[in-house]
Structure formats: structure tokens, C-alpha cells
Amino acid sequence: MPRVCCVTLSRSDYASLRPVALAALADPAIDLRLIAGGSHALARYGNTLEQIRQDGLPLHAVARFLRATDDSPSELAAAYARAVTQFARILGRQQPDYVFVIGDRWEMLAVVSAASMLQIPIVHHSGGDITQGSADNQTRYALSALSHLHLVALPEHRERLLRMGEQDWRVITTGEPALTALTALADQARLRPDIHGRLGLTPGEPFVLATFHPTSFDAAPPERQVEVFLQALDGIRSAIVLTAPNPDPASALFLARYRAYADAHPRVRLHHSLGTQHYYAAMAQAQYMIGNSSSGIWESASLRLPVVDIGPRQQGRVHGNNVLHCALEPQAIAAAIARATDPALRASLDGKNPYVRPDTLALIVDSLKHPWDRARLLAKRFVDPLARH
């Protein structure tokens, strides 16, 4: 029975990891070890370790490498160094057959760095994607280079990894795991009479869901990014459910500005973390979504939710016909909001989601319990595109 260490370090990866971990936990052929940490352990991001436990997932280790005040590139670099040290120790104790990670966050680079040095095979989901406007794009390809088995969301993601020199048998197209439970959760959300109360709204009150993170490669500095975003919120007359940013450089600045804005605007409800089910419930009932979150690219299409995607953070990603891209510029955002609120747009949305596959969880779990040859996994061979065949 393979021992698999699944690692979650932020709410962004947990939405995708949660259904995989629950499926692996229920499979008697897998010895699941769940490791959490990073922003899950901080009040600034909602202390979501308890949410993981409430989901029925036992925590076998907690990595506390991120400090409440870490915000600058140098502070996050130091946090990364602490994370590598902690994961070398944790993985050394757990002695897993595989380490399973999802996504493109800098924190995961610490996990795979430690696992690589310990010669533990790494299974990575989400390689081959593109987000040109974010440093996550570079991190994602670094994760792929260090990983030994690749589970990808789309066929084009698989093709990119093959062109990077990965061997064909190492790359498996599975779909996006965050979407596997979305239909059931969305159906529940539409029936939940208390979701507005959970969001701090009156029953039936129309609202907009807003999630905006600092962007690495925007020409505008973080101060300007958050200023323009809040200017856009000024023009929204509905209630606004605003969620906290990810732990990226300048996230403390963003969160401070969000708190001040929510204090000054009674129609704004700021939440550090809603949890997966409540967040999907909010998506299912929102008028539209605004910001630059990956959930606006992945989950939103299934819910026929119009999305105003601001700036370059998600540039290059495949998406449904519900996503309206616009520049980080007040007039462009206002024009996109006008389109998002047009009843004709909502009526035209088909609910088709390119990331959905009915067998996603089965493909991922089967990959985790497959009797891979460990030596063959670790001995990666680069497929040289310049070599003569």
C-alpha cells in the first residue's frame, strides 16, 4: 500500500486538493498522510486548519513557516527557506512513497525542493497551464521540472509538458479536481436559505463576489493596483462580498486597504476565508464576480457566472464564454461591468466548462495507487527535441 503525503498550504490549492484527499482517504489501497501549513495556520487568512479538520481530513503534520507579518519579497524568501527546512524534516519523518502537490504557488516549490533532495517521487497536478501575468507561471514550470508524474487539467497542458521534454508515460490528462464536487455543492447552495446570513447579508440581497490579488508583473505598482480595484468597487451599487488576498508580496497592503474600505462602506462584507462550500455557494448566487482569481477561470463557467477578470494575472488561461477580460484601468473595468450586468450575457452562457471530466478523481486516485517502479520514476529522462529520431 503506497503512503502518499498530500500537501496543502493555502486556500487556493486546498479547493483542488480537498476532493482528491477525501477520495484517497476513502480508498483502502492508499495510506494518506495530510500535511497542511503556510497561510492555513494564520489568523490573517482565516485559520483554516480547523476547516480542514471539519472536512473530515486528519492532519499528520503542520508546517508553520509563514509569519503573520511576512509581506515583502525578502520576507517571503526567508519564509521559503524555513519551509524547505521544515519539509525536509516532515517528509523525512513520514517516509512517503509519493508526495502529491497541486498548483503553482511559491510555497509548493519548497515542498518539492525538499522531496527532490530526499529522492521521494513527486506527483504534481496543474502543470502545463499558462498565467502570463503572474510569477506563479514560472513557479509552475519549476514544479514540473522537479516532478516525476504529471496530472494535468487539459490536453493542451499535456502537450506543453511533452514539448518541454517530459516523457509521454509521465503525463496524464485528468481534468481539474476542484470541479468534481462543484455541481453537488452548487445545487446545495441554491437551496441554502442561510448563505446570505453566513455572508453578512440580508436574505435575498443581491451581491457581487470580489477577489483581487497582487499581480507580479503588472506595470502598475501594488499601491496603484489596489487603488484602481477599489475605485471600481465604488461604482458597484449592490452589496459586495470581498475576500482576502493570497500570501503574495504586498498582500498585507491589500488586506489593510480592504479592511479600511469595508469599514467605510457598509455594503461591503470582508471575509478572510469563506471555506470551499460557502465560497461555491457565494459563486452560485452572486450577480457576477470581479477581480483576478483563478476561480473566475475554473469554477465560474459551470455556474454560468459572469466574471470581470482584471489585469494580466490570468492571461493565457483557457476559459469559458462567461469571462470578460479587461485592463487594470477604470474605464475598461466599468465597461466590463456593464457587459457582465447585461441580462443578454447571462442568457447566452452555456455552462460548458473545458476543465470538467467525469472521471477526474478516478484518474488521479488510480495514478496515486498505481504500482509505479520507483527507480524508473526518479530516473527522469529528458526527451531532447534536437535529437534525431
Side-chain angles (χ1 to χ4, degrees):
M1 178 188 302
R3 176 174 293 180
V4 180
C5 277
C6 291
V7 184
T8 175
L9 300 177
S10 68
R11 69 186 187 198
S12 59
D13 70 66
Y14 184 63
S16 295
L17 184 79
R18 177 180 177 271
V20 175
L22 288 170
L25 183 65
D27 194 313
I30 296 177
D31 178 11
L32 175 73
R33 302 299 175 97
L34 187 67
I35 303 170
S39 60
H40 283 304
L42 296 181
R44 170 176 159 188
Y45 300 102
N47 283 325
T48 45
L49 290 176
E50 185 55 36
Q51 180 61 56
I52 295 171
R53 294 187 181 97
Q54 290 176 9
D55 286 339
L57 291 168
L59 291 178
H60 294 83
V62 176
R64 301 180 185 274
F65 57 87
L66 193 62
R67 297 169 181 170
T69 55
D70 288 342
D71 189 55
S72 69
S74 62
E75 289 169 335
L76 294 182
Y80 170 82
R82 292 192 295 271
V84 173
T85 300
Q86 289 191 31
F87 276 102
R89 185 164 54 248
I90 290 170
L91 296 176
R93 286 199 301 263
Q94 294 293 331
Q95 291 292 303
D97 296 289
Y98 312 114
V99 171
F100 178 66
V101 297
I102 288 182
D104 51 22
R105 297 282 307 162
W106 63 267
E107 301 97 315
M108 286 303 176
L109 195 54
V111 180
V112 302
S113 296
S116 178
M117 293 299 295
L118 293 169
Q119 297 187 3
I120 301 170
I122 300 156
V123 183
H124 175 228
H125 188 287
S126 302
D129 201 352
I130 290 180
T131 49
Q132 299 281 27
S134 170
D136 293 349
N137 201 55
Q138 299 171 23
T139 301
R140 185 185 310 109
Y141 284 90
L143 290 169
S144 292
L146 287 170
S147 297
H148 304 94
L149 189 68
H150 310 280
L151 311 179
V152 300
L154 299 175
E156 48 263 62
H157 297 171
R158 181 178 191 276
E159 183 62 26
R160 287 195 188 104
L161 291 182
L162 295 180
R163 295 193 183 195
M164 283 177 58
E166 294 292 335
Q167 295 168 282
D168 182 273
W169 63 270
R170 294 182 184 272
V171 190
I172 304 168
T173 305
T174 67
E176 168 50 49
L179 304 176
T180 56
L182 184 59
T183 300
L185 288 172
D187 289 344
Q188 294 174 23
R190 291 190 180 95
L191 298 174
R192 285 178 64 94
D194 62 337
I195 184 58
H196 279 71
R198 173 66 178 81
L199 298 175
L201 305 172
T202 59
E205 183 178 5
F207 68 92
V208 173
L209 183 60
T211 304
F212 188 71
H213 308 289
T215 301
S216 311
F217 302 137
D218 200 299
E223 294 82 358
R224 177 61 178 166
Q225 292 177 34
V226 69
E227 178 185 357
V228 172
F229 177 63
L230 294 178
Q231 286 178 4
L233 299 190
D234 284 341
I236 297 174
R237 301 274 69 86
S238 299
I240 297 171
V241 175
L242 178 61
T243 61
N246 287 332
D248 293 311
S251 63
L253 166 69
F254 274 49
L255 185 56
R257 293 292 304 276
Y258 290 169
R259 285 171 174 160
Y261 189 83
D263 288 343
H265 297 81
R267 76 183 191 288
V268 178
R269 305 291 187 272
L270 176 63
H271 293 269
H272 290 84
S273 176
L274 289 172
T276 302
Q277 296 194 36
H278 287 120
Y279 186 71
Y280 285 163
M283 291 184 70
Q285 298 189 43
Q287 293 176 296
Y288 61 92
M289 186 173 180
I290 184 170
N292 60 6
S293 170
S294 59
S295 59
I297 303 295
W298 289 345
E299 293 96 330
S300 63
S302 296
L303 298 169
R304 294 181 172 85
L305 176 67
V307 175
V308 176
D309 180 62
I310 301 172
R313 185 181 179 90
Q314 304 298 338
Q315 182 181 346
R317 266 191 166 151
V318 174
H319 58 79
N321 64 349
N322 61 312
V323 178
L324 307 170
H325 292 294
C326 64
L328 182 70
E329 191 274 322
Q331 290 184 335
I333 299 172
I337 290 174
R339 290 178 60 199
T341 54
D342 184 347
L345 173 69
R346 192 108 193 202
S348 72
L349 301 182
D350 55 18
K352 293 180 180 178
N353 193 323
Y355 295 93
V356 170
R357 281 187 60 141
D359 55 351
T360 291
L361 281 183
L363 287 168
I364 295 175
V365 172
D366 286 349
S367 297
L368 295 177
K369 64 184 180 181
H370 183 83
W372 301 103
D373 183 283
R374 184 176 184 275
R376 187 180 183 220
L377 275 178
L378 289 173
K380 287 188 69 172
R381 183 174 67 85
F382 177 70
V383 181
D384 188 354
L386 301 182
R388 294 181 179 179
H389 299 286

